[in-house]
Amino acid sequence: MELTGFCGNGDLISHHVYDAAIVGGGLAGLSAAIYLGRSRRDTLLIHSGHSMAKWEQDVQNYLGFPDGISGNDLLTRGFAQVRRFGVEVADDDIHALERDREGMFQLTGLAQRYVARRVLLSTGLTHVPPDIPGVKDCLGKSLFFCKDCDAYRVRNRSIVIVGRNNESAEYALSMLLFTSQVLICTNGKTPLWDTAHAGWLAEYSIPVTHRSIRSISHDDGQISAVVFDDGESLSTHAVFTTRGDVFHHDLAEQAGAELDEEGQITVDHSMRTSVPGLYAAGCVTPANCQMIIAAGQGATAGQAINRDLFKEDLRRHALPRVEKAKPIEAHCL
């Protein structure tokens, strides 16, 4: 489908109009693209290569991979599957999104502009690691953000939780199912957990230190100790941090979509936002940030977008269809 119009100098311009544009090439975006491609929708997947799945060295809780798989390998397989079903993939960074009076979405990237009837935002989030020397080398290897993803891999080992809020306290308490060696470090800050959480920490004898961390000692990403400002060190095998998340919701906000108090994009059961034709899926929504959950949300969004386009085409009396094949003529030999 082509959209034509006039630019400021009077020249006629034309834009290809996609049925759907997906912004974000993580598990949610790839899953939606597969469903839309298989539904024979003219689909564009735009990504900038920043999926947090790349941080995961060994994904052990994604169905179908009993021996685990790296996040990078999972993404590589996903992109191959997307291309198999005819989805166009663009390497670009979208920085502006608006819905025009005709209901079309205008997406502006660093490379070019795009137009689509429907848009899915699967822009995800970024976990904020502690600003401590040595941390970045250990990401996804022995420093983790998600207990649901990674507590199992550090069972029966010593664990330090870096944080000072209720979530930090709950991380430490939940780790007791995996190990007896758990400590909370507030990294020089005053604890913010409430009275109830303080009581539970005392009840289950979770040690807490308020010392500041100078650095993380490690061997090729495998943590061996936490080094404090006073020079003392604490031997440990893993660190979990609960510093916080940055939700990549700027495009949704530009388009006028509702956000919740934490900055996540509000969606309904079909992944629809408050803006007609705009969808969101994955870790940028209030769902638990798990790869397999993101993929499931992407599938839900892909199916919902396809249904939405189908109903619109019926209303417009513009239902696309395969052209009739010419009849085969029989010839006598």
Side-chain angles (χ1 to χ4, degrees), residues 205-223:
S205 302
I206 302 289
V208 178
T209 181
H210 304 298
R211 289 184 288 181
S212 297
I213 300 173
R214 177 193 299 172
S215 62
I216 300 291
S217 294
H218 66 92
D219 180 13
D220 193 27
Q222 298 302 321
I223 294 174

Side-chain angles (χ1 to χ4, degrees), residues 97-106 116-121 249-259 264-268 270-281 304-305 308 312:
L97 172 66
E98 63 177 328
R99 185 173 183 264
D100 64 26
R101 287 176 296 182
E102 285 72 39
M104 296 290 184
F105 288 93
Q106 311 283 336
R117 297 169 63 191
R118 301 291 183 273
V119 168
L120 169 65
L121 299 178
H249 59 224
D250 291 355
L251 296 176
E253 199 168 29
Q254 289 176 25
E258 292 180 4
L259 308 176
Q264 300 166 116
I265 304 173
T266 303
V267 293
D268 66 9
S270 294
M271 304 294 112
R272 288 185 293 251
T273 72
S274 59
V275 176
L278 181 64
Y279 295 72
I305 290 170
D308 194 12
E312 180 181 275

Side-chain angles (χ1 to χ4, degrees), residues 143-154:
L143 189 140
F144 308 106
F145 301 95
C146 175
K147 60 181 173 54
D148 297 328
C149 303
D150 300 306
Y152 185 85
R153 74 175 76 236
V154 295

Side-chain angles (χ1 to χ4, degrees), residues 88-159:
E88 184 179 339
V89 178
D91 186 351
D92 201 352
D93 192 355
I94 302 299
H95 58 82
L97 172 66
E98 63 177 328
R99 185 173 183 264
D100 64 26
R101 287 176 296 182
E102 285 72 39
M104 296 290 184
F105 288 93
Q106 311 283 336
L107 303 94
T108 305
L110 296 179
Q112 67 180 83
R113 295 185 65 192
Y114 311 90
V115 181
R117 297 169 63 191
R118 301 291 183 273
V119 168
L120 169 65
L121 299 178
S122 53
T123 43
L125 58 74
T126 297
H127 296 307
V128 182
D131 189 16
I132 300 170
V135 160
K136 290 184 179 179
D137 295 325
C138 303
L139 292 175
K141 297 179 180 178
S142 58
L143 189 140
F144 308 106
F145 301 95
C146 175
K147 60 181 173 54
D148 297 328
C149 303
D150 300 306
Y152 185 85
R153 74 175 76 236
V154 295
R155 62 196 184 281
N156 300 321
R157 297 186 177 187
S158 59
I159 299 170

Side-chain angles (χ1 to χ4, degrees), residues 27 30 53-54 56-57 59 65 68-80 291:
L27 275 297
L30 290 168
K54 291 184 175 182
E56 294 294 337
Q57 304 292 317
V59 181
F65 298 95
I69 184 172
S70 75
N72 260 327
D73 285 348
L74 202 54
L75 291 172
T76 298
R77 289 169 180 249
F79 276 104
M291 290 188 188

